[in-house]
Amino acid sequence: MHMADALLSPAVGGTLWIATAGTIAYCGKKVQAGLDDRKIPLMGVLGAFIFAAQMINFTIPGTGSSGHLGGGMILAILLGPHAAFLTIASVLTVQALFFADGGLLALGCNIFNLGVFPCFIAYSLIYKPIAGTRHTPFRIGLGASLAAIIGLQLGALGVVFETVVSGVSALPLSAFLSVMLPIHLAIGLVEGLVTTAVVTFIWRARPEILELAATARPLGRLPIGKVVGAIAAAAVVVGGGLSWFASSSPDGLEWSMAKISGKEELEGPEQGIHQSLADLQEKIAFLPDYGFKGKAPEPAGEEQTAWPAVDGGTTTSGLVGGVLTLVITLLCGLLLKKRRRAA
């Protein structure tokens, strides 16, 4: 559900940049107040895991489309909404800057759609009331599944309205909604199952992590080394190897655009801020589309049949992206910790 710049006007993209920057500043202050040494590495490895997990598109049977994990709900349940928003912002920034996944003008929209809706609305209004304070596998599963579905539906709504209000593309509101919401309902069902599996695993290993995150309390002296190690190992396996098994079908947004316009990708204005940001992104992104720069395109038809797509560029991207996300998230955490001590 990563939006491209071609869908947005500078006014809408700029407005969502401001809204996202304000949310990051707000979350930074909230996290700074309750941050401890244990939470920083947890944020880092979870960010690396979500980066890797988003590389794996899963096929939606009978549609010709695919979807990938958003990850905001997993982060919110395990870190609390404010730390989760900072972590998902780090993931999406790394993807946009170094892998050209999602436009730079659209980065504010992408962080808002994949961060605000799951972390602050679906988590608070859906997951927390259902999961309650006495967690059980059923409560966790029901709450995580419904919250993941609602969060993704709201994100899809955000994409549609931001696109239509921009007026750059020729995607009409009713037609766009009629394809975006059903396909993201199917994607949300899978995200709910994955979210349940990840959260249940951590709840069984360290139930205190969920309880402390829900009440915005520091992890304190809670030993989380094994959990951090397990998540880091999962990030390496998923990004370095399982990413070969990603579906080559278009994702839900590309599929929806193709249904309406006949094209999976729309062309943006070849001038002004769109072109300037496209040129900048081309210079910065050293592993564009999660592969080596300058790699010759696959012959027509081969890309669809080569599965699993065993490729050194994909493995490199999964590992490098995970490390970059880990480092950036750790630096954010350490900066907030330093500011807390200086206050």
Side-chain angles (χ1 to χ4, degrees):
M1 201 162 62
H2 294 59
M3 295 180 75
D5 288 352
L7 298 177
L8 292 169
S9 67
V12 172
T15 299
L16 268 294
W17 254 101
I18 293 171
T20 294
T23 308
I24 288 174
Y26 166 74
C27 289
K29 288 186 177 179
K30 298 292 286 187
V31 171
Q32 183 180 321
L35 192 63
D36 59 25
D37 291 342
R38 302 300 175 99
K39 193 170 232 180
I40 295 175
L42 188 59
M43 290 171 63
V45 296
L46 279 170
F49 173 75
I50 295 300
F51 176 93
Q54 287 195 3
M55 290 181 67
I56 301 182
N57 276 46
F58 46 82
T59 299
I60 305 299
T63 65
S65 177
S66 68
H68 64 71
L69 200 66
M73 188 52 55
I74 291 177
L75 296 173
I77 295 171
L78 300 179
L79 297 172
H82 304 101
F85 187 82
L86 297 182
T87 305
I88 196 68
S90 299
V91 173
L92 294 168
T93 300
V94 168
Q95 291 174 341
L97 288 178
F98 306 118
F99 299 88
D101 190 5
L104 295 183
L105 178 62
L107 182 56
C109 292
N110 286 327
I111 294 175
F112 193 91
N113 296 334
L114 288 167
V116 167
F117 293 124
C119 296
F120 294 105
I121 298 177
Y123 170 73
S124 300
L125 302 181
I126 308 296
Y127 175 79
K128 285 186 72 174
I130 295 176
T133 55
R134 295 185 177 180
H135 295 108
T136 66
F138 176 75
R139 282 172 170 261
I140 291 174
L142 182 63
S145 296
L146 291 177
I149 291 170
I150 297 298
L152 204 60
Q153 288 287 288
L154 292 173
L157 273 174
V159 170
V160 171
F161 282 107
E162 289 152 13
T163 300
V164 173
V165 169
S166 289
V168 176
S169 69
L171 300 173
L173 176 62
S174 58
F176 203 12
L177 279 176
S178 70
V179 288
M180 278 288 282
L181 295 186
I183 196 64
H184 283 90
L185 175 60
I187 295 170
L189 287 170
V190 179
E191 170 143 11
L193 294 175
V194 175
T195 301
T196 299
V198 173
V199 172
T200 301
F201 166 76
I202 295 180
W203 173 68
R204 292 187 186 280
R206 278 292 168 197
E208 303 94 334
I209 292 178
L210 274 68
E211 296 165 5
L212 294 172
T215 53
R217 286 181 290 164
L219 294 176
R221 296 181 178 275
L222 183 68
I224 59 170
K226 291 183 179 179
V227 170
V228 169
I231 297 171
V236 171
V237 171
V238 172
L242 294 184
S243 53
W244 295 342
F245 295 87
S247 170
S248 58
S249 298
D251 71 14
L253 175 55
E254 296 168 341
W255 178 86
S256 298
M257 291 192 296
K259 283 287 183 182
I260 301 170
S261 68
K263 299 178 181 177
E264 294 175 7
E265 295 183 6
L266 302 179
E267 298 293 331
E270 296 182 351
Q271 58 186 356
I273 191 169
H274 283 83
Q275 189 60 50
S276 298
L277 291 175
D279 292 342
L280 177 63
Q281 190 176 38
E282 184 178 359
K283 292 178 181 176
I284 296 174
F286 60 89
L287 288 166
D289 297 325
Y290 303 97
F292 293 127
K293 207 167 190 175
K295 181 183 176 183
E298 297 285 351
E302 184 171 324
E303 189 176 5
Q304 296 297 320
T305 57
W307 191 89
V310 179
D311 183 80
T314 303
T315 296
T316 302
S317 297
L319 298 177
V320 170
V323 171
L324 286 172
T325 304
L326 173 71
V327 170
I328 290 177
T329 308
L330 290 178
L331 289 175
C332 288
L334 293 173
L335 177 63
L336 291 174
K337 180 181 172 184
K338 183 177 180 181
R339 290 180 60 181
R340 183 187 180 192
R341 287 179 174 174

